[in-house]
Amino acid sequence: MRARRQRLAELKAAHNHPTYARMAFVMGCGVQGRGEGSRVLDEDGRSFLALFDQYGNQSFGYSHPRIVGALREQLDSGVLNSTKIMFEEVQIRLSERLARTTGNRLPYSYLANGGGETIDNALKLARAATGRPGVISAQGCFHGKTFATLSASGRPEHQARLGPFMEHFRQVPFGDVDALAAVLDDSVGAVLLEPVQAEAGVIVPPPGYFQEVRRLCTEAGALLVLDEMQTAFGRCGTFFAHEQFGITPDLVCVGKAFGGGMLPLSAVLGTEEVWTVLRELPSTFGSSLGGNPLSCRVGLESIAIASDEAFLAGVRERAVVIGQRLGAAAQRHPGVLAAHRGLGMMHGLEFHDEATAGHVLGRLLEEGITSTYSLYNPRVLRVQPPMVIAADELAHCLAVLDTLLAETEALGDATGGGPGVTLSPVSRTVRLPHSVRDVLDALHAAPRALDPFAADGTRAPAGGDPEFTGRLGADTVVWTDHVDLTGQGVRLWAEPGWLWRTLERETRVEPDGADGSVLHVRVTWDTDSAGYEDMVGGRIGFFVERGLTERLAAFRTALPEPARNPA
């Protein structure tokens, strides 16, 4: 019988996002329940600590009492809907409060719902203010998923499937001042950058980079536009990350944490000079629900929390702990880790391959800790916990992570220093002191005896089983599976479905000398997860290796005592 978790995964695969449904299921993600602080429960009441803040959305943790209180206060006021005609006090006060966060250097703002919408608004402002169409962004950037922001990201896989993208977008390597200077001509209206490239793998700028970018933009007459969707609201130890570089951009975009993790809210902030277009063309912007009273009230509270000096001091203290612990971990575990990078409470651990990263992510979930990968670099595990995480909670997460790194490195040591996590196909060859006939008889009597996915290897009907109950780690999962008995052994295969595009387990037996036999087991799979196949496959590979070890040991024990030739 399908568990509720599987039913939801199948519905998500059928009606929303097939790849993410498979990934979440394979990794062991449960059904979300209530959350508070840095913890969230699943439907079974199990508590998970967050080592990641959901791309900045949950920077203040789950159900922050001040955010919840602000929502209740606004709900109780009865002022819930935007007339788009009358003066909306909470929206106006929010714009004024945003200006104060910049010391009134960026006194104007326009409110919207999400990051892509706001980045689009910034690019419109830049083009209107400069009269130039060109935009320069950085390789590896992520700015959203509208056509303009995908054009800025310039991903070849998106270009191949969704292109052609918008014209006048160019890219340079992040952190390379000379490369930027070489293309920053009088056709460029905006240079669009992130203070830290989160989805490229938490790439931190080299010292002095942004000061030079600011100088080049000013000299060329281009606007510097900073995407602070993930870095603002204290994430890097100051309200805006760009404060640490001693610069003021012409436009800055914020979102995610702005809505307190509960409501969509984003904004572009800019100088008076850039805002001229709204005087000349008032209809430049529009957002049906952007800046509604509920979102704005939450936005005010988010600013109040993140601009409190005691709060920011706490972020800086935890940032030191994270940086020191992860830096030491990278030195201790070179067999699995290639690099550590970070700024403030925004860090990434880069593994040597995506399969190992996927395995460690799954193991963290088993240990009650949530994290994820960088969108454009799945080898990078994100360490970006809610900024409200308690010191003891953070210490626990980092200790568990270090233990799992050592455990994973030991997997590689066990294979002679090779990869510790294997991908499809997984093969085993075992010599047995039993005749081919004895081994074949045992396999045909229990065709699933060597199936690493079978919950019970002792029984298996020949032919198709539409309600086969498999095992994926500690979870059970139902799919349609088939058993074919062959002259050499057994072939098991799954019908294509929401979880498997292909899954095959084949066991063959052949003679080995006069009395013995050789057993060949091969497991192949494909989840149809495109660019995330290796990350998902690393988790499955671990299950397969562990399951085969258990099954082979049990199979050896169950075989009859081999016949001995008389002396």
Side-chain angles (χ1 to χ4, degrees):
M1 177 179 291
R2 285 164 171 77
R4 180 164 175 258
R5 178 169 165 267
Q6 179 177 341
R7 292 198 303 271
L8 290 173
E10 290 184 89
L11 286 172
K12 183 177 179 67
H15 302 293
N16 176 236
H17 205 309
T19 298
Y20 286 176
R22 282 188 291 273
M23 289 171 63
F25 191 89
V26 169
M27 291 297 172
C29 299
V31 180
Q32 183 176 322
R34 293 172 58 88
E36 184 175 347
S38 296
R39 294 183 180 272
V40 64
L41 304 179
D42 67 10
E43 65 173 343
D44 298 321
R46 187 179 177 202
S47 176
F48 291 82
L49 265 172
L51 199 55
F52 184 64
D53 68 346
Q54 281 58 57
Y55 306 95
N57 292 297
Q58 305 303 335
S59 286
F60 304 126
Y62 297 95
S63 305
H64 192 292
R66 288 179 59 175
I67 301 293
V68 172
L71 268 174
R72 287 187 174 136
E73 179 183 287
Q74 193 64 34
L75 285 168
D76 289 343
S77 77
V79 181
L80 307 178
N81 309 103
S82 295
T83 65
K84 297 296 182 183
I85 297 172
M86 297 180 177
F87 289 107
E88 298 177 19
E89 182 175 4
V90 66
Q91 181 190 94
I92 294 167
R93 294 197 181 282
L94 180 57
S95 295
E96 185 272 338
R97 187 66 184 87
L98 280 170
R100 281 196 282 130
T101 65
T102 71
N104 283 310
R105 290 183 295 274
L106 304 176
Y108 287 88
S109 61
Y110 192 86
L111 301 167
N113 298 288
E117 183 183 4
T118 279
I119 298 292
D120 275 13
N121 286 340
L123 296 181
K124 285 190 292 184
L125 281 167
R127 180 173 290 190
T130 64
R132 301 174 178 183
V135 176
I136 297 174
S137 58
Q139 294 167 4
C141 69
F142 178 79
H143 297 293
K145 295 180 180 177
T146 65
F147 262 99
T149 53
L150 286 175
S151 300
S153 296
R155 302 291 299 181
E157 66 271 26
H158 293 155
Q159 175 71 42
R161 191 77 175 186
L162 306 173
F165 283 144
M166 298 172 65
E167 296 180 322
H168 309 296
F169 284 84
R170 286 179 284 181
Q171 287 195 320
V172 295
F174 184 69
D176 190 332
V177 174
D178 292 338
L180 176 62
V183 296
L184 188 50
D185 56 30
D186 60 6
S187 71
V188 177
V191 174
L192 173 62
L193 298 170
E194 303 157 272
V196 177
Q197 286 193 308
E199 304 312 326
V202 193
I203 309 299
V204 178
Y209 172 65
F210 274 101
Q211 290 92 332
E212 284 299 293
V213 171
R214 174 69 277 180
R215 179 183 64 80
L216 288 172
C217 287
T218 301
E219 291 176 356
L223 301 189
L224 175 56
V225 183
L226 292 187
D227 177 349
E228 291 231 30
M229 293 291 168
Q230 291 199 47
T231 55
F233 291 88
R235 171 55 58 184
C236 296
T238 49
F239 189 93
F240 295 107
H242 71 256
E243 295 174 53
Q244 300 183 36
F245 310 136
I247 63 166
T248 299
D250 300 288
L251 292 163
V252 63
C253 300
V254 297
K256 296 186 181 294
F258 197 9
M262 298 182 194
L263 292 174
L265 181 61
S266 63
V268 54
L269 290 72
T271 63
E272 184 173 0
E273 293 77 13
V274 173
W275 230 253
T276 302
V277 65
L278 282 180
R279 297 191 183 93
E280 298 171 351
L281 190 62
S283 62
T284 301
F285 294 151
S287 181
S288 295
L289 291 174
N292 67 77
L294 274 177
S295 294
C296 287
R297 181 62 188 88
V298 167
L300 280 168
E301 202 63 35
S302 295
I303 293 174
I305 294 169
S307 57
D308 181 83
E309 185 50 43
F311 172 83
L312 292 171
V315 170
R316 291 190 289 269
E317 289 172 5
R318 287 184 284 276
V320 171
V321 172
I322 295 172
Q324 290 176 344
R325 294 286 296 274
L326 296 187
Q331 292 184 337
R332 275 196 305 274
H333 307 295
V336 290
L337 292 177
H340 157 246
R341 297 179 291 270
L343 180 68
M345 286 183 71
M346 189 177 198
H347 289 253
L349 286 177
E350 183 164 352
F351 290 82
H352 292 295
D353 56 76
E354 295 167 20
T356 306
H359 166 65
V360 173
L361 280 172
R363 286 289 290 117
L364 280 170
L365 273 165
E366 286 182 355
E367 298 297 326
I369 296 170
T370 63
S371 186
T372 195
Y373 55 94
S374 282
L375 185 65
Y376 293 148
N377 190 346
R379 296 189 304 276
V380 175
L381 181 145
R382 303 286 289 277
V383 179
Q384 185 176 313
M387 293 183 288
V388 298
I389 191 169
D392 60 336
E393 293 175 330
L394 178 60
H396 172 74
C397 287
L398 295 175
V400 170
L401 175 58
D402 194 66
T403 297
L404 296 183
L405 293 172
E407 170 193 286
T408 305
E409 196 165 41
L411 290 176
D413 294 339
T415 59
V421 179
T422 52
L423 294 169
S424 175
V426 172
S427 300
R428 297 282 185 94
T429 298
V430 180
R431 283 182 161 76
L432 298 170
H434 301 80
S435 69
V436 169
R437 174 47 51 198
D438 283 347
V439 177
L440 273 176
D441 286 346
L443 284 173
H444 287 174
R448 296 199 184 278
L450 296 177
D451 180 4
F453 295 101
D456 183 354
T458 61
R459 297 179 291 107
D465 181 359
E467 292 293 316
F468 167 68
T469 301
R471 182 180 64 174
L472 205 60
D475 297 308
T476 58
V477 55
V478 177
W479 68 77
T480 299
D481 208 62
H482 294 263
V483 176
D484 295 338
L485 305 182
T486 70
Q488 289 186 301
V490 176
R491 175 176 174 260
L492 311 172
W493 55 280
E495 287 190 9
W498 72 275
L499 180 57
W500 307 109
R501 177 156 65 182
T502 59
L503 171 64
E504 184 171 313
R505 294 84 82 207
E506 184 178 18
T507 305
R508 294 184 298 104
V509 188
E510 60 184 38
D512 182 28
D515 302 314
S517 59
V518 180
L519 189 64
H520 300 281
V521 185
R522 180 180 171 91
V523 182
T524 60
W525 68 88
D526 180 355
T527 67
D528 193 23
S529 295
Y532 299 122
E533 186 66 40
D534 282 2
M535 190 175 66
V536 175
R539 189 69 180 135
I540 295 172
F542 175 73
F543 294 148
V544 170
E545 292 278 15
R546 186 172 63 182
L548 282 178
T549 298
E550 295 171 356
R551 291 290 185 206
L552 282 166
F555 185 72
R556 286 173 182 269
T557 303
L559 285 171
E561 189 71 23
R564 302 182 184 275
N565 291 327

